[in-house]
């Protein structure tokens, strides 16, 4: 299958799905977390996908491509930290969080693979 858009990338689809899961789970966070944990975890989880989309559009320029993917990897790691806080505060079940953490680890490996071979993505 030819990749025509960032929407065709498996890594984008996975990151988008994870962001939707995070959004749904964060709806149960207490109101006092609205402007801290809730907003932060939603922002970082969404930024993974948006940076992948930007990277794909900059794929003709390897340094820009790598930079945006590095930002995406960083946002994924940030989301993992917010998930850890949510568990520590008792807002999320540890098993669900463990599953999400494993998915983020897999996602980060996919991003790193792209970073290590930017020439495969240029047009």
């Amino acid at each position: 299958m030819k990749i025509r858009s960032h929407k065709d990338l498996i890594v984008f689809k996975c990151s988008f799905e994870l962001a939707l899961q995070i959004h749904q789970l964060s709806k149960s966070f207490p109101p006092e977390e609205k402007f801290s944990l809730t907003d932060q975890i939603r922002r970082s989880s969404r930024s993974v996908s948006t940076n992948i989309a930007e990277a794909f559009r900059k794929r003709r320029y390897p340094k820009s491509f790598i930079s945006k993917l590095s930002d995406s990897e960083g946002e994924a790691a940030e989301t993992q930290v917010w998930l850890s806080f949510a568990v520590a505060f008792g807002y999320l079940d540890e098993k669900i969080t463990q599953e999400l953490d494993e998915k983020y680890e897999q996602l980060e490996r996919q991003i790193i693979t792209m970073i290590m071979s930017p020439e495969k993505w240029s047009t």
Side-chain angles (χ1 to χ4, degrees):
M1 178 177 101
K2 179 141 173 84
I3 297 173
R4 297 183 181 154
S5 152
H6 62 274
K7 294 177 186 176
D8 297 327
L9 297 170
I10 292 170
V11 69
F12 176 82
K13 291 175 186 179
C14 291
S15 67
F16 193 84
E17 182 58 38
L18 281 167
L20 294 177
Q21 285 181 272
I22 296 286
H23 180 84
Q24 194 63 33
L25 288 169
S26 67
K27 285 181 178 181
S28 67
F29 292 175
E32 64 266 18
E33 291 289 1
K34 180 174 174 43
F35 298 110
S36 54
L37 181 60
T38 305
D39 284 347
Q40 289 294 96
I41 198 168
R42 287 178 179 178
R43 183 203 54 76
S44 65
S45 67
R46 292 172 184 169
S47 287
V48 177
S49 300
T50 58
N51 281 305
I52 290 169
E54 283 187 66
F56 185 78
R57 293 296 171 196
K58 294 180 176 190
R59 67 193 183 280
R60 290 173 201 82
Y61 313 102
K63 289 181 181 179
S64 295
F65 178 74
I66 291 169
S67 176
K68 292 313 286 181
L69 288 175
S70 293
D71 290 345
S72 184
E73 180 190 2
E75 294 291 344
E78 180 182 337
T79 302
Q80 288 177 292
V81 173
W82 290 120
L83 286 168
S84 295
F85 276 118
V87 169
F89 297 150
Y91 304 151
L92 289 180
D93 177 71
E94 196 166 337
K95 185 175 186 235
I96 291 170
T97 305
Q98 173 89 25
E99 291 170 9
L100 287 170
D101 192 63
E102 288 171 12
K103 288 179 182 180
Y104 271 103
E105 288 293 326
Q106 181 180 7
L107 182 64
E108 289 163 359
R109 286 191 297 274
Q110 292 171 341
I111 293 168
I112 290 167
T113 298
M114 293 175 76
I115 289 170
M116 298 306 291
S117 301
E119 69 282 351
K120 290 182 180 179
W121 303 97
S122 64
T123 55

